[in-house]
């Protein structure tokens, strides 16, 4: 590979992949924490 | 458990293997087969292994020989399942040795061994101490094996989960410190303003779409997904056997995969290659991409850190980061064998850990002293073996148990409902994809590896020793499987059911 400058396509791939990974991870972690909190409070009630 | 699973998935491959694979397989274009493999192989297989583990654990079996026997009512099932103990054990043999290099290099970096050394020093240091046999590296290997055994002897909750709770957050903190340092570096070499880290990213992200027609790239991407998510080792199933009957696995599996991808794509992709480019330029990065992840980690990176202000500190946290990534994976690799001895022979955990780690330490001597053995075991167990075993897992779990029952098992207790298309992907696409992968690897590399046609002549006897080790490990486990009274009892039940 002789190209040593980020091309527009390179920025697109970087942005799309990083964006998708960050969004999915944030969604999963938030859902998981919410569900753990919910199951914790259900256990305390029981 | 999520952190322990993430610890299992996040390993040396995230920081070292991924950037090298991406840089040498079409840059951004590599991400297309990579994402396809993640969606069609990675996530479905993750759910299969989690579900298989929870299914087996609820019925008293923590490893795949017992799990397979529960589903597939055949006397062969437990022998097929023993691959889920043998493969991670064999990979642990060389993986722990590589992990010990990271501990050694962290100690050398902290002690200032590399300070002020010229560029040529690092290649010869690596060749003499790691490529050859160095007693200091051997001592670090002994310490690493002992640390692993000590962590594991404290149990899953008290040892492995506690390690993950400390190591994974530390790994994220170290990686973030390094990423911030790298991304704010600009162009560190005064007379080369074009050598900045963002242009270094071009090696990973500028897409060379013409390469997409090459079968090699699709195989490399699928292999990376397998290795990075630790699929096909039987380890995820082993960890998942500790879950409760209705614990969620859909969201948990997805979270584990996404945390792993964050470390791999965002953190792993932003460190080594851009940093090496900024200091050494394009020809050096092209050479690194060809020579592989070990050169990147143990030659290029220490060399680059010497040119960075506070390089001693950054080098230390780089190698500690790799060590944490390594140890959370090596305890997982050894866990299947420990659980197998515990479950099927009723031995206490301390004794199981002593047996398993003594075996790993003894077997690793073949890797330490024999050139080419690591590559041999890596191909048969860590590359081809895991894909073959994953194919067996998906066929047994989805097709032998029944697609509807398997799907019901996966979604039971789920916090999020996976789309219905995932059912068809699991039923048809994933097994076919795996079959193509196995065939592709055999077609592409199988003959050359099997006949050792490309191996240097001096490595051939050692490579045969490596194969002997693989056969011996499987033979010992087959003997133990045959001797297990618990598995034999299930066998009788299986015979009755038929």
């Amino acid at each position: 590979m002789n190209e040593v400058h980020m091309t527009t396509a390179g920025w697109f791939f970087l942005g799309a992949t990083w964006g998708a990974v960050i969004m999915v991870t944030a969604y999963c972690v938030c859902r998981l924490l919410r569900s753990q909190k919910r199951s914790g409070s259900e256990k305390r009630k029981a | 458990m999520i952190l322990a699973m993430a610890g299992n998935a996040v390993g040396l491959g995230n920081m070292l293997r991924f950037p090298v694979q991406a840089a040498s397989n079409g840059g951004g274009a590599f991400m297309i087969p990579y994402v396809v493999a993640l969606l069609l192989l990675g996530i479905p297989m993750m759910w299969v292994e989690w579900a298989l583990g929870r299914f087996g654990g609820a019925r008293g079996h923590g490893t795949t020989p017992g799990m397979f026997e529960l589903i597939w009512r055949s006397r062969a099932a437990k022998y097929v399942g023993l691959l889920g103990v043998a493969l991670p054990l064999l990979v642990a043999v060389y993986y722990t040795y590589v992990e010990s290099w990271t501990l050694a290099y962290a100690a050398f970096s902290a002690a200032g061994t590399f300070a002020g050394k010229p560029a040529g020093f690092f290649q010869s240091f690596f060749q003499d101490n790691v490529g050859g046999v160095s007693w200091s590296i051997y001592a670090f290997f002994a310490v690493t094996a002992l640390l692993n055994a000590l962590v594991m002897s404290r149990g899953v909750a008290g040892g492995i989960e506690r390690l993950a709770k400390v190591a994974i957050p530390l790994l994220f903190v170290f990686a973030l410190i390094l990423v911030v340092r790298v991304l704010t570096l600009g162009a560190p070499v005064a007379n080369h303003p074009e050598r900045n880290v963002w242009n270094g990213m071009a090696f990973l992200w500028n897409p060379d779409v013409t390469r997409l027609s090459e079968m090699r790239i699709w195989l490399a991407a699928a292999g990376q997904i397998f290795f990075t998510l630790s699929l096909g080792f039987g380890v995820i199933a082993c960890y998942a056997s500790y879950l409760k009957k209705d614990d969620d696995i859909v969201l948990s599996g997805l979270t584990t995969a996404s945390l792993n991808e964050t470390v791999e794509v965002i953190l792993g992709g932003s460190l080594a290659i851009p940093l090496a480019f900024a200091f050494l330029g394009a020809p050096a990065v092209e050479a690194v991409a060809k020579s592989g992840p070990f050169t990147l980690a143990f030659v290029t990176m220490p060399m680059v850190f010497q040119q960075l202000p506070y390089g001693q500190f950054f080098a230390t946290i780089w190698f500690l980061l790799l060590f944490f990534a390594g140890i959370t994976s090596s305890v997982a690799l050894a866990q299947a064998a420990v659980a197998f001895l515990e479950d099927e022979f009723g031995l206490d955990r301390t004794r199981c850990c002593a047996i398993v780690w003594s075996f790993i330490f003894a077997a690793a001597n073949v890797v330490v002293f024999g050139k080419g053995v690591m590559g041999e075991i890596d191909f048969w167990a860590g590359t081809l073996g895991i894909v073959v075993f994953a194919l067996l897992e998906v066929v047994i779990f989805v097709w032998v148990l029944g697609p509807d029952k398997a799907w019901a098992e996966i979604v039971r207790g789920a916090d999020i409902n996976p789309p219905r298309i995932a059912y068809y992907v699991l039923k048809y696409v994933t097994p076919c994809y795996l079959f193509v992968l196995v065939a592709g690897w055999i077609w592409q590399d199988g003959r050359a590896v099997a006949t050792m046609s490309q191996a240097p002549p001096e490595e051939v006897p050692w490579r045969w020793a490596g194969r002997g080790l693989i056969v011996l490990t499987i033979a010992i486990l087959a003997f133990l499987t045959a001797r297990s009274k618990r598995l034999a009892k299930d066998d009788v039940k299986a015979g009755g059911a038929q």
Side-chain angles (χ1 to χ4, degrees):
Chain A
M1 185 192 282
N2 295 318
E3 178 62 70
V4 288
H5 294 280
M6 275 289 263
T7 59
T8 310
W11 283 112
F12 170 77
F13 272 89
L14 185 148
T17 314
W18 280 33
V21 169
I22 291 170
M23 279 195 300
V24 173
T25 308
Y27 171 77
C28 289
V29 171
C30 290
R31 279 293 299 248
L32 199 72
L33 290 174
R34 207 170 64 190
S35 100
Q36 282 181 345
K37 207 170 153 187
R38 199 175 52 226
S39 69
S41 67
E42 273 167 13
K43 261 186 205 165
R44 274 196 299 278
K45 273 182 201 164
Chain B
M1 185 50 76
I2 301 281
L3 276 180
M5 286 282 198
N8 164 41
V10 174
L12 299 174
N14 296 58
M15 293 291 168
L16 304 178
R17 203 172 183 271
F18 169 74
V20 170
Q21 289 285 327
S24 55
N25 285 303
F30 178 77
M31 294 313 294
I32 295 171
Y34 182 86
V35 171
V36 169
L38 176 68
L39 295 175
L40 301 182
L41 278 181
I43 292 168
M45 276 308 302
M46 197 76 156
W47 287 338
V48 165
E49 289 213 16
W50 276 73
L52 178 66
R54 189 181 62 175
F55 180 86
R59 291 155 183 83
H61 287 288
T63 52
T64 47
M67 291 170 189
F68 278 15
E69 204 173 41
L70 290 169
I71 296 171
W72 182 21
R73 300 295 190 183
S74 159
R75 288 183 194 281
K78 61 185 177 186
Y79 296 102
V80 173
L82 76 81
L83 280 178
V85 181
L87 297 177
L89 188 61
L90 283 162
V91 172
V93 167
Y94 68 85
Y95 193 91
T96 314
Y97 183 47
V98 177
E99 181 190 321
S100 73
W101 304 347
T102 63
L103 184 62
Y105 271 61
F108 294 148
S109 301
T113 310
F114 301 141
K117 292 286 191 279
F121 165 82
F122 296 95
Q123 181 68 44
S124 54
F125 185 84
F126 181 70
Q127 272 170 353
D128 295 345
N129 290 277
V130 178
V133 180
S134 143
W135 292 109
S136 62
I137 297 284
Y138 196 85
F140 276 104
F141 173 51
V143 169
T144 306
L146 197 64
L147 273 174
N148 274 279
L150 279 175
V151 167
M152 291 192 72
S153 66
R154 292 176 173 268
V156 172
I160 294 174
E161 282 186 356
R162 195 180 283 182
L163 170 76
K165 273 183 197 164
V166 177
I168 295 298
L170 270 177
L171 185 150
F172 267 94
V173 170
F174 288 172
L176 279 173
I177 291 172
L178 284 166
V179 167
V180 169
R181 176 68 280 226
V182 170
L183 296 185
T184 54
L185 204 57
V189 182
N191 52 345
H192 285 290
E194 80 288 356
R195 282 196 206 163
N196 64 63
V197 287
W198 291 104
N199 281 341
M201 292 277 203
F203 282 91
L204 289 163
W205 296 105
N206 279 0
D208 179 3
V209 286
T210 57
R211 306 274 314 268
L212 283 176
S213 58
E214 293 174 25
M215 173 82 167
R216 180 172 288 275
I217 288 188
W218 291 83
L219 294 179
Q224 179 60 25
I225 284 296
F226 255 82
F227 203 83
T228 189
L229 293 176
S230 297
L231 300 169
F233 286 98
V235 171
I236 295 173
C238 182
Y239 271 9
S241 69
Y242 294 92
L243 294 173
K244 292 188 195 91
K245 186 165 74 75
D246 290 320
D247 276 351
D248 165 83
I249 56 176
V250 174
L251 182 58
S252 303
L254 211 52
T255 308
T256 309
S258 61
L259 281 173
N260 180 73
E261 291 311 310
T262 305
V263 176
E264 176 154 300
V265 175
I266 297 180
L267 303 179
S270 306
L271 282 174
I273 296 279
L275 191 60
F277 172 79
F279 280 101
L280 306 174
V285 176
E286 281 164 3
V288 163
K290 279 186 192 136
S291 56
F294 293 157
T295 306
L296 179 65
F298 300 106
V299 178
T300 312
M301 292 301 277
M303 192 195 300
V304 164
F305 281 127
Q306 290 318 302
Q307 299 175 42
L308 194 69
Y310 304 104
Q312 192 173 337
F313 167 74
F314 289 115
T316 307
I317 63 169
W318 161 254
F319 286 113
L320 278 178
L321 177 163
L322 293 183
F323 178 70
F324 288 142
I327 194 168
T328 48
S329 298
S330 59
V331 292
L333 290 167
Q335 171 61 21
V338 170
F340 175 73
L341 293 177
E342 268 184 307
D343 288 355
E344 311 308 347
F345 294 91
L347 299 179
D348 71 82
R349 188 160 180 97
T350 313
R351 192 180 293 183
C352 295
C353 290
I355 293 170
V356 169
W357 279 99
S358 301
F359 175 83
I360 291 172
F361 189 74
N365 282 283
V366 185
V367 176
V368 174
F369 292 99
K371 280 205 166 164
V373 176
M374 192 186 290
E376 199 67 22
I377 302 177
D378 183 48
F379 179 80
W380 293 109
T383 307
L384 186 63
I386 57 173
V387 185
V388 170
F389 188 63
L391 180 60
L392 292 168
E393 278 183 318
V394 79
V395 166
I396 290 174
F397 187 73
V398 176
W399 283 99
V400 178
L401 184 64
D404 292 328
K405 270 190 187 174
W407 186 249
E409 185 60 34
I410 287 169
V411 298
R412 183 155 45 80
D415 256 349
I416 52 172
N417 277 326
R420 188 68 184 161
I421 191 169
Y423 167 82
Y424 296 103
V425 168
L426 194 63
K427 193 172 167 185
Y428 301 111
V429 182
T430 306
C432 293
Y433 204 141
L434 284 166
F435 183 78
V436 170
L437 208 53
V438 172
W441 259 324
I442 291 172
W443 174 74
Q444 182 182 275
D445 298 324
R447 183 188 281 189
V449 176
T451 57
M452 298 189 200
S453 58
Q454 287 163 5
E458 71 274 14
E459 284 186 7
V460 171
W462 283 112
R463 284 177 181 263
W464 277 110
R467 288 183 189 183
L469 180 65
I470 295 171
V471 173
L472 181 70
T473 306
I474 292 174
I476 292 171
L477 287 169
F479 174 74
L480 290 174
T481 303
R483 296 274 295 180
S484 163
K485 287 188 179 136
R486 236 177 124 235
L487 286 170
K489 214 160 42 177
D490 286 350
D491 239 4
V492 173
K493 276 188 213 161
Q498 279 175 335

